Amino acid sequence: MSAVVICTTKGTCLPVLATSITMYLPTYWTVYIAGSTIMLPRHRTINLPNPAKNFGDAYNAAVHEAMKSHEDLLVLNDDVVLTPTFWQTMVEDLRLIPEENRGWVAARADFARGLQNIRYRHEGDENNQNKHPSEDHICEVDIIAPYAAYIHRDAWIDFPPINNYSDDVQCVQMREKGLRNYISRAYCHHVGGASTGRDWRALRDEAYPWIAENRPDLADAWFPDKRKAS
């Protein structure tokens, strides 16, 4: 009852991700890939079309297809690479986090914002040579980036139809529903920017109209410069 969900367009990094799934993820996972005909050699693979024009619509469609048959979802951006200890650590953390009101449980990475970034020194971290002590702890946060994250079908809320900020809005809605999001001790490599692009200014401008119309409260908090200008 477990499904991996991946959406892609150009798929530049997808072969490396696919290889890491083959090597490091148990074969009971069914892999849904939207936007590519690549087939994994050891996992049941379901290829889907990806006509969506944005991250939110793409993943909503693929996740809803996976949820028809699966309860446990592992959502992956097409530009991540799993590590040998990724799933074992994620399983251990899922056992420690209460299922009640559990939303996202997301991995750390080398390309991520804030507390999810493996390089980020959490409060109280000593200057250890190779590893921050905080990497051995699960963190609860309001907003995570689900580039590599577990979620149960019952906790799913659709992304808005935008690229950047789609996960932010979704996480806020999950919190409003009483769900709690966590950063796992699990780690993956994240190329970053391959899924939606790296022109952050353009992506920010693109997301603003939808947020301003549908969540003006968030627009006030996240786009104070644009709100003043309007």
Side-chain angles (χ1 to χ4, degrees):
M1 298 293 286
S2 305
V4 176
V5 180
I6 305 163
C7 294
T8 189
T9 51
K10 297 179 180 179
T12 305
C13 304
L14 187 59
V16 185
L17 168 58
T19 300
S20 72
I21 293 173
T22 299
M23 297 300 296
Y24 304 134
L25 203 62
T27 55
Y28 59 74
W29 286 91
T30 298
V31 181
Y32 290 75
I33 305 178
S36 173
T37 58
I38 192 170
M39 300 289 292
L40 277 67
R42 297 177 57 233
H43 295 76
R44 181 185 178 215
T45 308
I46 297 177
N47 301 103
L48 303 170
N50 182 17
K53 302 300 183 184
N54 58 72
F55 178 96
D57 284 339
Y59 273 92
N60 290 339
V63 166
H64 277 279
E65 187 64 30
M67 287 195 298
K68 293 178 181 178
S69 304
H70 305 275
E71 295 181 3
D72 297 303
L73 307 172
L74 182 62
V75 175
L76 301 177
N77 278 21
D78 66 349
D79 60 352
V80 301
V81 183
L82 305 187
T83 56
T85 61
F86 171 86
W87 182 240
Q88 177 183 342
T89 306
M90 181 69 75
V91 168
E92 292 172 358
D93 288 356
L94 289 171
R95 290 172 179 161
L96 294 171
I97 299 170
E99 292 185 25
E100 184 181 4
N101 299 327
R102 185 177 65 196
W104 284 112
V105 181
R108 301 168 194 246
D110 51 340
F111 190 97
R113 62 185 174 185
L115 299 179
Q116 274 183 268
N117 195 312
I118 202 75
R119 301 185 181 98
Y120 190 97
R121 289 181 64 185
H122 294 212
E123 184 178 353
D125 270 342
E126 298 177 1
N127 189 18
N128 283 19
Q129 199 168 29
N130 294 318
K131 183 176 180 179
H132 296 313
S134 58
E135 294 174 44
D136 292 325
H137 299 279
I138 301 165
C139 305
E140 182 181 350
V141 293
D142 290 338
I143 295 175
I144 61 91
Y147 47 77
Y150 166 90
I151 192 169
H152 189 273
R153 178 172 62 186
D154 293 343
W156 179 261
I157 294 176
D158 279 354
F159 292 111
I162 51 179
N163 285 312
N164 276 32
Y165 294 94
S166 57
D167 45 2
D168 298 62
V169 174
Q170 183 204 49
C171 285
V172 168
Q173 292 175 326
M174 292 171 76
R175 292 286 297 177
E176 291 170 345
K177 190 179 176 181
L179 299 173
R180 304 168 70 176
N181 301 311
Y182 298 88
I183 300 173
S184 170
R185 296 173 299 131
Y187 171 81
C188 69
H189 171 57
H190 184 204
V191 174
S195 299
T196 59
R198 289 198 176 187
D199 189 341
W200 310 123
R201 186 181 299 276
L203 289 165
R204 184 173 185 268
D205 291 343
E206 179 187 273
Y208 174 71
W210 188 94
I211 298 174
E213 179 179 353
N214 294 276
R215 290 299 304 249
D217 56 324
L218 300 181
D220 288 337
W222 297 346
F223 301 86
D225 54 328
K226 292 184 178 294
R227 300 296 276 179
K228 289 179 181 178
S230 60

